[in-house]
Amino acid sequence: MKRADVIEFYARLAAADPHPETELAWRNPFTLVVAVALSAQATDVSVNKATRLLFQDVDTPEKMVALGEDGLKEHIRTIGLFNSKAKNVIALSQMLIDDFDSEVPADRDALERLPGVGRKTANVVMNVAFGAETFAVDTHIFRVGNRTGLARGKTPLAVELKLDKATPQPFRLHAHHWLILHGRYVCKARRPECWRCIVADLCAFKPKTPAPITIPIAPDA
């Protein structure tokens, strides 16, 4: 995608949603780390439902360790892979206590040391909690980047690096949220809704998906 088209692409997304936010519910950087770790292979809606009561009482590493693995499982058993996720959350909580004075580090490499925290999760936390200009490439961003021609790559890291290079100011802070939301609600995996896409004319995807055909209902005789 040409630079002028990249700028126009982001400008339209920004105009439609000037202040995008994560759809995960969180109270502080610690609960954000937990929520993002739980969201792997799960929807934000399912995570929010599971953590709504949890985060009311458990919002520090110490409280999470005190809750314990079995106690956490009771809250998150509706989420996929809840057994391994509970183990990781307790382990990362203990590491935060032991190695980081119970504070979530504002550093990607340090975040990636935490059990269950990969590069994508670290990028989300850096962006949402600390305002860093990072690009957390999930399945939505990977698809949008490749499909539109904005940032093509064979791996999430390749797409991330291309987005980092291609995305100009003043769009860098919110770019990954615009792309996630666009992929989640418009540029969908199975059938992108090109007929209502505000950046369709800038997008390299062909052929564009036409609007669904509606059959008018004849009035009663």
Side-chain angles (χ1 to χ4, degrees):
M1 191 180 292
K2 296 178 181 178
R3 180 171 177 79
D5 290 341
V6 171
I7 294 172
E8 180 63 18
F9 183 96
Y10 280 121
R12 293 183 194 177
L13 296 180
D17 187 3
H19 304 289
E21 296 180 349
T22 178
E23 294 186 324
L24 285 170
W26 60 290
R27 301 166 67 93
N28 56 29
F30 171 69
T31 56
L32 178 63
V33 171
V34 173
V36 180
L38 294 177
S39 71
Q41 300 182 48
T43 66
D44 290 358
V45 172
S46 68
V47 173
N48 291 342
K49 184 177 180 180
T51 60
R52 182 174 60 85
L53 295 178
L54 173 67
F55 288 163
Q56 288 181 11
D57 299 319
V58 182
D59 58 0
T60 67
E62 288 82 2
K63 291 177 181 178
M64 188 65 75
V65 170
L67 177 65
E69 193 172 324
D70 290 338
L72 178 56
K73 287 179 184 179
E74 290 302 311
H75 285 275
I76 67 170
R77 62 176 57 254
T78 56
I79 302 175
L81 306 175
F82 72 92
N83 283 311
S84 60
K85 289 178 180 179
K87 182 178 181 179
N88 282 334
V89 168
I90 298 301
L92 74 83
S93 300
Q94 188 64 59
M95 182 177 284
L96 287 173
I97 295 169
D98 295 341
D99 296 352
F100 299 100
D101 296 324
S102 299
E103 296 292 329
V104 174
D107 175 82
R108 183 162 52 202
D109 291 338
L111 284 166
E112 288 190 67
R113 287 177 52 198
L114 300 174
V117 175
R119 187 178 180 92
K120 186 199 76 172
T121 296
N123 279 335
V124 172
V125 174
M126 289 290 294
N127 179 267
V128 175
F130 303 116
E133 295 173 351
T134 56
F135 301 84
V137 178
D138 66 351
T139 57
H140 297 300
I141 291 186
F142 185 78
R143 180 176 65 255
V144 171
N146 277 285
R147 183 182 278 168
T148 62
L150 177 65
R152 288 193 169 119
K154 294 183 178 181
T155 66
L157 179 58
V159 171
E160 176 190 334
L161 296 177
K162 286 190 176 181
L163 283 173
D164 193 16
K165 183 177 181 180
T167 304
Q169 296 290 8
F171 308 113
R172 293 178 58 82
L173 179 61
H174 295 312
H176 97 267
H177 278 128
W178 285 317
L179 296 174
I180 286 173
L181 295 172
H182 190 66
R184 183 173 291 166
Y185 296 113
V186 180
C187 196
K188 300 177 181 179
R190 293 186 179 181
R191 192 170 191 268
E193 299 181 0
C194 304
W195 68 90
R196 68 180 190 90
C197 174
I198 61 175
V199 291
D201 59 310
L202 304 172
C203 170
F205 178 70
K206 298 182 185 305
K208 297 293 192 287
T209 308
I213 298 173
T214 57
I215 301 174
I217 300 175
D220 294 337

